[in-house]
Amino acid sequence: TQALERLASVEAAAPLALKKALAQGADALDAARVAEATQAYELALRIDPNNVAAEHGLKRAAAVEGVQRLIIEARSAADAGNWTAAATAYRHALALDAEAEEARAGLTLAERQVADAEYQTAMAEALKALTLRRFAQARTDVTRALAVRAQAREPRDVAARIEQAIAGTRI
């Protein structure tokens, strides 16, 4: 009877203990305390061996060190102005842990910087090609710039200048 009573009290306390272990694991994971997160998620799995959140948490905890290493690599690349390498490192970090917020934010910034650089390069090359009267190349460069910033006014202005130059050449 006593054993059944104790078992009933343990079973009653299990959902709360599971919830607490999952919360502790998440908090530890957010703070990159891998050992603590692993311990909390393992406890959660002992309480509920089929708990998907605990399994997911363990997988994320196992990836933390790799994710942190890649984020540091990405930061170094970004500090050096190599936004393409930074974006690549952030993508690899997200491949290890799709929920890594710092990697997600870093990737957004890196992709924006890469796009800005591509736009600036395309516009500079379009203007240079226009000056050299290489109209086909200038059109190609304007198209590249528009692919990066579809709503930008500058490529449209350069495209109009190209058409005017072509018309002037025909005249």
Side-chain angles (χ1 to χ4, degrees):
T1 303
Q2 286 179 346
L4 287 174
E5 288 173 0
R6 286 184 182 163
L7 181 59
S9 79
V10 167
E11 286 177 346
L16 182 59
L18 176 64
K19 185 176 179 181
K20 183 178 176 183
L22 291 172
Q24 287 174 339
D27 290 343
L29 200 54
D30 289 342
R33 296 188 310 265
V34 177
E36 188 179 324
T38 301
Q39 184 178 12
Y41 286 126
E42 285 175 347
L43 173 61
L45 283 173
R46 283 194 300 275
I47 295 168
D48 179 3
N50 298 319
N51 189 283
V52 175
E55 289 173 359
H56 180 69
L58 269 178
K59 183 187 280 187
R60 287 189 67 208
V64 165
E65 290 177 11
V67 169
Q68 290 301 316
R69 181 182 46 77
L70 286 163
I71 286 173
I72 290 168
E73 180 183 318
R75 283 186 201 145
S76 292
D79 289 343
N82 188 346
W83 291 103
T84 302
T88 299
Y90 283 129
R91 277 190 204 94
H92 287 136
L94 287 169
L96 292 176
D97 180 5
E99 297 173 40
E101 289 302 318
E102 185 175 355
R104 186 178 317 287
L107 178 59
T108 300
L109 174 63
E111 286 177 336
R112 188 175 330 122
Q113 293 295 332
V114 168
D116 286 348
E118 173 62 24
Y119 176 80
Q120 295 298 329
T121 300
M123 288 300 296
E125 289 175 0
L127 290 170
K128 181 179 177 183
L130 176 60
T131 302
L132 296 173
R133 304 181 73 71
R134 295 182 181 154
F135 303 126
Q137 181 61 47
R139 283 180 174 158
T140 300
D141 294 331
V142 165
T143 302
R144 276 186 23 226
L146 283 169
V148 175
R149 289 189 190 162
Q151 303 302 319
R153 193 181 90 229
E154 295 86 3
R156 293 179 194 341
D157 292 345
V158 172
R161 288 176 52 194
I162 292 167
E163 296 309 316
Q164 288 174 346
I166 291 170
T169 301
R170 287 185 189 140
I171 291 172

